[in-house]
């Protein structure tokens, strides 16, 4: 009986230790969205071993400047998450426009020392032509425009700096990111998904599984990949 109790205790402690070793995840939404868009993926992460208290979603005003306002606000938020959890680093998972302030924080803030993994879902990492339609009145659209100050500086020199591990997911059916290859980055693990619309990334089970595998360093995620961007 005693030995059985010890085994049961060990089995209970092992998952708890594994969960505690997971980096806190900060989800960052896209333009004109809010943290609620992550509910499906956050629930999926929780079902697969992430404690609720290590899953965060940053809320921000998408009409503000990526470099002058948002990246600094994100840096403060990350510091708060690290203090709250006692972790050394976070993982960032961004959708669409959220890819830009997260990249700016990593490249020009202290993110290289605070971020372990950076994942971009349908991000306008080289800009999107559709942003010109709203660039006249919306700062987020201006930042997403091809050749903008933000896009140009993010891609100058090394687009994926520091010890951070980078990954992107893009779809040939994305109606918001044009051209579709804009999301992929040199130095990142770039994955082409199935035929997903722009917001489908947020609730797709395969993308969620692949992102979790990337954050955990599980190379088995390669088996799920459709193909890489050139």
């Amino acid at each position: 009986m005693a030995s059985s109790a010890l085994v049961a205790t060990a089995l209970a402690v092992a998952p708890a230790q594994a969960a505690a070793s997971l980096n806190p995840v900060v989800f960052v939404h896209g333009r004109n969205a809010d943290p609620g868009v992550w509910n499906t993926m956050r629930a999926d992460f929780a079902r697969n071993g992430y404690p609720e208290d290590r899953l965060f979603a940053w809320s921000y005003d998408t009409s503000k400047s990526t470099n002058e306002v948002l990246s600094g606000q994100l840096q403060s938020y990350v510091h708060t998450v690290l203090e709250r959890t006692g972790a050394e680093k976070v993982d960032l998972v961004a959708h669409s426009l959220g890819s830009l302030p997260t990249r700016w924080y990593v490249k020009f803030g202290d993110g290289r020392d605070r971020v372990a993994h950076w994942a971009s879902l349908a991000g306008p990492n080289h800009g999107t032509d559709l942003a010109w339609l709203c660039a006249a009145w919306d700062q987020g659209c201006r930042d997403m425009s091809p050749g903008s100050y933000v896009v140009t500086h993010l891609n100058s020199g090394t687009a994926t700096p520091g010890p951070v591990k980078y990954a992107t997911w893009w779809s040939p059916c994305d109606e918001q990111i044009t051209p579709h290859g804009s999301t992929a980055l040199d130095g990142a693990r770039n994955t082409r998904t199935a035929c997903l619309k722009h917001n489908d990334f947020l609730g797709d089970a395969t993308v969620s599984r692949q992102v979790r595998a990337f954050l955990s360093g599980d190379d088995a995620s390669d088996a799920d990949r459709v193909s890489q961007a050139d």
Side-chain angles (χ1 to χ4, degrees), residues 38-213:
W38 294 108
N39 286 349
T40 298
M41 190 171 289
R42 287 182 66 174
D44 193 38
F45 271 52
R47 282 193 301 270
N48 286 276
Y50 273 84
E52 291 283 356
D53 61 3
R54 295 184 88 79
L55 297 174
F56 299 84
W58 180 50
S59 178
Y60 67 103
D61 183 346
T62 63
S63 70
K64 300 299 183 182
S65 169
T66 287
N67 56 307
E68 295 178 341
V69 178
L70 298 182
S71 60
Q73 292 179 351
L74 175 60
Q75 178 166 296
S76 296
Y77 185 82
V78 168
H79 288 185
T80 299
V81 169
L82 294 175
E83 290 174 1
R84 183 179 303 177
T85 62
E88 294 183 358
K89 294 186 176 184
V90 302
D91 292 331
L92 298 177
V93 179
H95 178 245
S96 192
L97 171 64
S99 301
L100 301 186
T102 53
R103 283 185 68 196
W104 196 280
Y105 164 56
V106 171
K107 185 167 185 175
F108 299 111
D110 65 12
R112 276 180 275 189
D113 298 322
R114 301 287 190 268
V115 177
H117 300 84
W118 175 87
S120 172
L121 312 183
N125 292 314
H126 294 280
T128 174
D129 293 338
L130 288 182
W132 292 118
L133 298 176
C134 51
W137 66 84
D138 188 282
Q139 183 62 47
C141 291
R142 284 194 288 276
D143 289 347
M144 290 191 288
S145 300
S148 72
Y149 179 91
V150 168
V151 167
T152 298
H153 280 71
L154 285 174
N155 293 314
S156 64
T158 301
T160 51
V164 180
K165 294 182 179 179
Y166 298 83
T168 75
W169 280 259
W170 66 278
S171 166
C173 301
D174 192 330
E175 76 281 15
Q176 298 294 323
I177 303 300
T178 58
H180 298 136
S182 173
T183 298
L185 291 171
D186 289 341
R189 175 187 292 181
N190 300 302
T191 300
R192 174 183 172 180
T193 71
C195 184
L196 299 178
K197 299 297 185 181
H198 191 64
N199 288 330
D200 290 346
F201 285 82
L202 296 163
D204 186 76
T206 298
V207 170
S208 180
R209 182 171 66 252
Q210 291 174 345
V211 172
R212 292 197 315 273

